[in-house]
Amino acid sequence: MTERPSARAALALVTDDFTELPAPERRSRPDGPLGWQGYDDARARAAERTGEQESVVCGTGTVEGTRAVLISFEFGFLGGSLGERTGDRLEQAYTHARAHRLPVVPLVATGGSRMQEGMLALTQLQRVARQSALTREAGLAQIAVLRDPTTGGGWATLGAGADVVLALPGAQVGFAGSRVRPPDADPAAYTAEAQVATGSADAVVEPGELRAVLGRWLRLLTRPSEAPAPVPAALGARELPVSGWDAVRRARDPRRPRAHAYLDAYFTERVAVSGDRCGGTDPDGMLCGFGEHEGRTVAYAAQTGTATRPAGYRTAARLIRLADRLGIPVLTLVDTPGAANDAEAERQGAGPAIADVFAAVASARTPVTTLVIGEGGSGGALALAAPGTTWATPDSYFSVIAPELAAAILKRPPQETEATAGQLRIRPQDLAELGVIRTGEQMFPGTGDRHS
């Protein structure tokens, strides 16, 4: 079995420097709060073996130029378990982060709560959850790094409760530790890779890349800005469509620039948020993350031109709320023929997922900028559109429903679909006249900027 890196080795992997916080004092009781026979001896052996006095090392450090509070678990100290003294140190670290306006980075490696302290150990999870919530309310980022293993309450608080979750390859990650799972449980389900695949973690990062990746995340998440995200320049057609059906045809053209092209042109660097934290991902339908544009951080949620799945909407809502807490402006790119409407999408909660995005956009205090870059199909597209700050490219359309479906609902024959598209007034210039979108030089040359 490969020896697990120590807490300080994990810190050295990601920090340029590290200053440990002094440990809080707690009055000792013989063999701990339960009087567990042999507990003091076990602690002494753990201290001698690891050189640490507790299962976490807490302090401040610089990661690629960004100062942060770091919490590193020492798995060699009683399995990195959480007890009362662990809780003291964790509370002190979070309090220090809020006092000094620093992000928090837990480097987690724990088996869970400490058996020798019983329920008093388990209640440390409540302390941790409260400190995390207070730090979230303070608008400070929390980025967890999952080491091997990350199980039990440590995963369910410091790990899964972080804003962004990164994991080392092959790390054992799961609420159930290896000794308490059903004997027939699939071990592949309890891995970092599985947690990313099911939307509970954002990315698996190789150890050699961890410092750079973590530094990039910290840099992007610690630059709030009150100014709205600038509208991206249109990358496709410059001339406006001559008819409603012409707008539809151009928006559906496979050669039209899609979300990846817009994001590549807009950002100098970006990092991806992945997963809805409810067991789902939609990597083919929704791209979410944070990037740098002209020296500022901008969050993005971008549809890719396919039918968006419920997990995609939930991921977008998660992204918008995180950006809102951190004071980072948001850019949304609308491009979908509509929300996925198959039976599986209904079972996955399509309606509530779309409602969640509507609510996230409606309640955001940070500015949200929207650009329609292709198909704007019904409520599945409108959910991402910010009222009053939505633009549209010349090769896009926005409609109450796809023209074919509108004709069917109106009991019209298929040959009337094109005429129906015109009646719906779905062209960008129609939308501007209706007051649904704004216009500007970057979209419609010669118009200036007008907000109907």
Side-chain angles (χ1 to χ4, degrees):
M1 181 176 177
T2 304
E3 185 177 350
R4 293 182 173 96
S6 69
R8 295 184 190 272
L11 288 166
L13 185 66
V14 298
T15 60
D16 306 316
D17 61 78
F18 180 74
T19 303
E20 189 172 355
L21 291 171
E25 294 185 4
R26 176 180 280 267
R27 185 175 179 179
S28 297
R29 287 172 283 182
D31 280 332
L34 304 185
W36 188 285
Q37 187 174 0
Y39 182 36
D40 281 348
D41 291 340
R43 286 176 52 86
R45 289 192 299 271
E48 182 178 2
R49 183 169 57 252
T50 64
E52 306 296 348
Q53 296 302 308
E54 200 27 86
S55 59
V56 290
V57 177
C58 305
T60 59
T62 303
V63 182
E64 295 282 295
T66 302
R67 201 74 183 166
V69 167
L70 294 108
I71 298 165
S72 189
F73 278 73
E74 177 54 69
F75 189 77
F77 193 102
L78 302 180
S81 56
L82 282 77
E84 286 185 313
R85 291 185 180 183
T86 321
D88 293 342
R89 293 189 178 205
L90 294 173
E91 184 171 292
Q92 179 193 49
Y94 277 98
T95 301
H96 185 88
R98 294 194 298 276
H100 296 273
R101 303 293 303 166
L102 297 174
V104 179
V105 179
L107 307 172
V108 190
T110 175
S113 299
R114 193 168 298 171
M115 298 300 100
Q116 298 92 330
E117 296 188 18
M119 275 301 298
L120 292 177
L122 190 64
T123 59
Q124 301 311 304
L125 304 180
Q126 295 171 322
R127 292 179 74 185
V128 173
R130 174 165 173 74
Q131 292 303 313
S132 178
L134 291 172
T135 303
R136 189 177 300 113
E137 290 177 2
L140 301 171
Q142 300 172 67
I143 305 174
V145 176
L146 311 183
R147 298 153 55 207
D148 183 47
T150 298
T151 60
W155 164 229
T157 52
L158 290 138
D163 299 316
V164 175
V165 181
L166 308 177
L168 295 179
Q172 179 188 172
V173 181
F175 186 65
S178 59
R179 297 184 182 181
V180 297
R181 297 170 194 158
D184 59 347
D186 179 6
Y190 302 87
T191 63
E193 290 77 6
Q195 299 295 346
V196 171
T198 56
S200 295
D202 292 290
V204 171
V205 183
E206 293 290 336
E209 301 172 0
L210 184 58
R211 182 185 297 213
V213 171
L214 181 57
R216 192 177 305 124
W217 271 108
L218 287 168
R219 184 169 62 255
L220 289 170
L221 297 189
T222 54
R223 297 191 301 191
S225 174
E226 295 181 357
V231 185
L235 300 180
R238 300 293 289 171
E239 68 280 2
L240 291 169
V242 297
S243 68
W245 188 247
D246 183 36
V248 173
R249 181 182 54 79
R250 288 206 276 173
R252 293 176 179 175
D253 189 332
R255 297 167 296 179
R256 171 183 56 79
R258 307 285 166 143
H260 280 289
Y262 276 91
L263 295 176
D264 287 345
Y266 193 79
F267 292 112
T268 54
E269 66 170 353
R270 65 182 191 269
V271 290
V273 161
S274 176
D276 62 2
R277 298 300 187 259
C278 299
T281 62
D282 185 19
D284 297 326
M286 184 75 75
L287 306 175
C288 294
F290 295 83
E292 180 176 297
H293 176 76
E294 297 179 349
R296 293 197 301 137
T297 299
V298 173
Y300 64 87
Q303 292 172 314
T304 64
T306 65
T308 308
R309 313 243 12 127
Y313 289 114
R314 284 191 287 264
T315 304
R318 172 192 161 211
L319 179 282
I320 294 167
R321 290 194 174 101
L322 174 56
D324 192 40
R325 289 201 307 271
L326 300 179
I328 294 171
V330 177
L331 170 69
T332 63
L333 300 179
V334 171
D335 186 7
T336 180
N341 59 5
D342 53 70
E344 186 59 28
E346 292 299 334
R347 283 192 286 266
Q348 293 170 357
I354 296 169
D356 200 26
V357 179
F358 271 117
V361 172
S363 59
R365 295 160 297 180
T366 196
V368 180
T369 300
T370 299
L371 179 62
V372 185
I373 62 171
E375 292 195 79
S378 195
L382 187 66
L384 261 70
T389 52
T390 292
W391 284 258
T393 62
D395 49 2
S396 69
Y397 77 88
F398 217 149
S399 178
V400 63
I401 198 169
E404 296 92 337
L405 298 178
I409 290 171
L410 296 171
K411 299 181 180 180
R412 295 178 175 179
Q415 57 266 31
E416 292 189 28
T417 296
E418 294 187 16
T420 301
Q423 289 179 296
L424 287 170
R425 300 197 67 193
I426 60 179
R427 299 177 303 167
Q429 59 267 45
D430 298 326
L431 299 170
E433 290 179 6
L434 293 170
V436 175
I437 67 166
R438 300 177 66 160
T439 64
E441 282 288 338
Q442 69 271 54
M443 300 303 145
F444 308 143
T447 65
D449 185 42
R450 180 170 64 84
H451 182 195
S452 300

